[in-house]
mmCIF file with all atom_site columns, all heavy atoms in Angstrom:
data_model
loop_
_atom_site.group_PDB
_atom_site.id
_atom_site.type_symbol
_atom_site.label_atom_id
_atom_site.label_alt_id
_atom_site.label_comp_id
_atom_site.label_asym_id
_atom_site.label_entity_id
_atom_site.label_seq_id
_atom_site.pdbx_PDB_ins_code
_atom_site.Cartn_x
_atom_site.Cartn_y
_atom_site.Cartn_z
_atom_site.occupancy
_atom_site.B_iso_or_equiv
_atom_site.pdbx_formal_charge
_atom_site.auth_seq_id
_atom_site.auth_comp_id
_atom_site.auth_asym_id
_atom_site.auth_atom_id
_atom_site.pdbx_PDB_model_num
ATOM 1  N N   . GLY A 1 166 ? 87.388  -20.328 18.450 1.00 97.00 ? 1660 GLY A N   1
ATOM 2  C CA  . GLY A 1 166 ? 86.741  -20.219 19.756 1.00 97.00 ? 1660 GLY A CA  1
ATOM 3  C C   . GLY A 1 166 ? 87.441  -19.203 20.620 1.00 97.00 ? 1660 GLY A C   1
ATOM 4  O O   . GLY A 1 166 ? 87.687  -18.076 20.207 1.00 97.00 ? 1660 GLY A O   1
ATOM 5  N N   . GLY A 1 167 ? 87.802  -19.616 21.842 1.00 96.00 ? 1661 GLY A N   1
ATOM 6  C CA  . GLY A 1 167 ? 88.462  -18.712 22.764 1.00 96.00 ? 1661 GLY A CA  1
ATOM 7  C C   . GLY A 1 167 ? 89.945  -18.930 22.894 1.00 96.00 ? 1661 GLY A C   1
ATOM 8  O O   . GLY A 1 167 ? 90.617  -18.236 23.661 1.00 96.00 ? 1661 GLY A O   1
ATOM 9  N N   . GLY A 1 168 ? 90.501  -19.902 22.157 1.00 96.00 ? 1662 GLY A N   1
ATOM 10 C CA  . GLY A 1 168 ? 91.922  -20.196 22.256 1.00 96.00 ? 1662 GLY A CA  1
ATOM 11 C C   . GLY A 1 168 ? 92.310  -20.811 23.582 1.00 96.00 ? 1662 GLY A C   1
ATOM 12 O O   . GLY A 1 168 ? 93.387  -20.543 24.112 1.00 96.00 ? 1662 GLY A O   1
ATOM 13 N N   . LEU A 1 169 ? 91.452  -21.677 24.133 1.00 97.00 ? 1663 LEU A N   1
ATOM 14 C CA  . LEU A 1 169 ? 91.706  -22.278 25.447 1.00 97.00 ? 1663 LEU A CA  1
ATOM 15 C C   . LEU A 1 169 ? 92.535  -23.556 25.383 1.00 97.00 ? 1663 LEU A C   1
ATOM 16 O O   . LEU A 1 169 ? 93.030  -24.002 26.420 1.00 97.00 ? 1663 LEU A O   1
ATOM 17 C CB  . LEU A 1 169 ? 90.377  -22.599 26.144 1.00 97.00 ? 1663 LEU A CB  1
ATOM 18 C CG  . LEU A 1 169 ? 89.581  -21.432 26.705 1.00 97.00 ? 1663 LEU A CG  1
ATOM 19 C CD1 . LEU A 1 169 ? 88.262  -21.920 27.277 1.00 97.00 ? 1663 LEU A CD1 1
ATOM 20 C CD2 . LEU A 1 169 ? 90.379  -20.692 27.770 1.00 97.00 ? 1663 LEU A CD2 1
ATOM 21 N N   . LEU A 1 170 ? 92.695  -24.152 24.203 1.00 97.00 ? 1664 LEU A N   1
ATOM 22 C CA  . LEU A 1 170 ? 93.473  -25.392 24.097 1.00 97.00 ? 1664 LEU A CA  1
ATOM 23 C C   . LEU A 1 170 ? 94.812  -25.147 23.433 1.00 97.00 ? 1664 LEU A C   1
ATOM 24 O O   . LEU A 1 170 ? 95.835  -25.080 24.113 1.00 97.00 ? 1664 LEU A O   1
ATOM 25 C CB  . LEU A 1 170 ? 92.683  -26.471 23.342 1.00 97.00 ? 1664 LEU A CB  1
ATOM 26 C CG  . LEU A 1 170 ? 91.888  -27.425 24.231 1.00 97.00 ? 1664 LEU A CG  1
ATOM 27 C CD1 . LEU A 1 170 ? 90.613  -26.750 24.704 1.00 97.00 ? 1664 LEU A CD1 1
ATOM 28 C CD2 . LEU A 1 170 ? 91.557  -28.712 23.481 1.00 97.00 ? 1664 LEU A CD2 1
ATOM 29 N N   . TYR A 1 171 ? 94.801  -24.987 22.131 1.00 97.00 ? 1665 TYR A N   1
ATOM 30 C CA  . TYR A 1 171 ? 96.068  -24.879 21.416 1.00 97.00 ? 1665 TYR A CA  1
ATOM 31 C C   . TYR A 1 171 ? 95.890  -24.040 20.154 1.00 97.00 ? 1665 TYR A C   1
ATOM 32 O O   . TYR A 1 171 ? 95.086  -24.377 19.279 1.00 97.00 ? 1665 TYR A O   1
ATOM 33 C CB  . TYR A 1 171 ? 96.606  -26.260 21.048 1.00 97.00 ? 1665 TYR A CB  1
ATOM 34 C CG  . TYR A 1 171 ? 97.797  -26.213 20.114 1.00 97.00 ? 1665 TYR A CG  1
ATOM 35 C CD1 . TYR A 1 171 ? 99.036  -25.755 20.560 1.00 97.00 ? 1665 TYR A CD1 1
ATOM 36 C CD2 . TYR A 1 171 ? 97.672  -26.591 18.780 1.00 97.00 ? 1665 TYR A CD2 1
ATOM 37 C CE1 . TYR A 1 171 ? 100.122 -25.683 19.704 1.00 97.00 ? 1665 TYR A CE1 1
ATOM 38 C CE2 . TYR A 1 171 ? 98.759  -26.537 17.919 1.00 97.00 ? 1665 TYR A CE2 1
ATOM 39 C CZ  . TYR A 1 171 ? 99.975  -26.076 18.377 1.00 97.00 ? 1665 TYR A CZ  1
ATOM 40 O OH  . TYR A 1 171 ? 101.046 -26.004 17.526 1.00 97.00 ? 1665 TYR A OH  1
ATOM 41 N N   . VAL A 1 172 ? 96.658  -22.949 20.060 1.00 97.00 ? 1666 VAL A N   1
ATOM 42 C CA  . VAL A 1 172 ? 96.720  -22.117 18.864 1.00 97.00 ? 1666 VAL A CA  1
ATOM 43 C C   . VAL A 1 172 ? 98.178  -21.739 18.655 1.00 97.00 ? 1666 VAL A C   1
ATOM 44 O O   . VAL A 1 172 ? 98.803  -21.122 19.521 1.00 97.00 ? 1666 VAL A O   1
ATOM 45 C CB  . VAL A 1 172 ? 95.868  -20.837 18.994 1.00 97.00 ? 1666 VAL A CB  1
ATOM 46 C CG1 . VAL A 1 172 ? 96.031  -19.963 17.752 1.00 97.00 ? 1666 VAL A CG1 1
ATOM 47 C CG2 . VAL A 1 172 ? 94.401  -21.173 19.216 1.00 97.00 ? 1666 VAL A CG2 1
#
Side-chain angles (χ1 to χ4, degrees):
L1663 286 176
L1664 266 78
Y1665 171 70
V1666 177

